[in-house]
Amino acid sequence: MLIHLGNGYLVRGDDVIGIFDIDGETTPQITTDFLKAAQKKGECESAVLDIPRSFVLTGSKTEQKVILSHISSSALATRKKGY
């Protein structure tokens, strides 16, 4: 089962660890620090052409990724539940 994160970017539903909201006004500092660390490690990818609204943390036995998406976290969560 694949989940569409935007701009043709797909991930396996089983690999999704969490779906998180990005709102510049309410994003806790720990989330900002986590995203910066993931970017430094090269674990951050983008499925957006404009400002991201959410990010998806995925993981498998071999790697972990943070994928930025322009789709809201609630819409992505609904897509995951649909599978």
Side-chain angles (χ1 to χ4, degrees):
M1 294 169 252
L2 299 174
I3 300 172
H4 181 253
L5 302 181
N7 293 327
Y9 202 100
L10 302 169
V11 295
R12 287 185 42 176
D14 293 341
D15 289 345
V16 173
I17 296 170
I19 300 170
F20 304 90
D21 188 46
I22 297 177
D23 182 355
E25 296 176 11
T26 60
T27 303
Q29 185 63 42
I30 193 164
T31 302
T32 303
D33 294 343
F34 173 79
L35 290 171
K36 285 180 184 178
Q39 199 166 26
K40 273 187 172 181
K41 292 179 188 176
E43 297 174 345
C44 199
E45 297 183 11
S46 181
V48 297
L49 297 175
D50 52 0
I51 298 171
R53 296 179 67 193
S54 62
F55 70 93
V56 178
L57 177 61
T58 65
S60 65
K61 292 181 181 181
T62 57
E63 67 181 333
Q64 174 179 305
K65 288 184 191 175
V66 173
I67 303 145
L68 301 173
S69 176
H70 67 278
I71 300 170
S72 71
S73 57
S74 60
L76 291 173
T78 301
R79 291 179 185 188
K80 175 140 174 55
K81 287 179 187 176
Y83 294 106

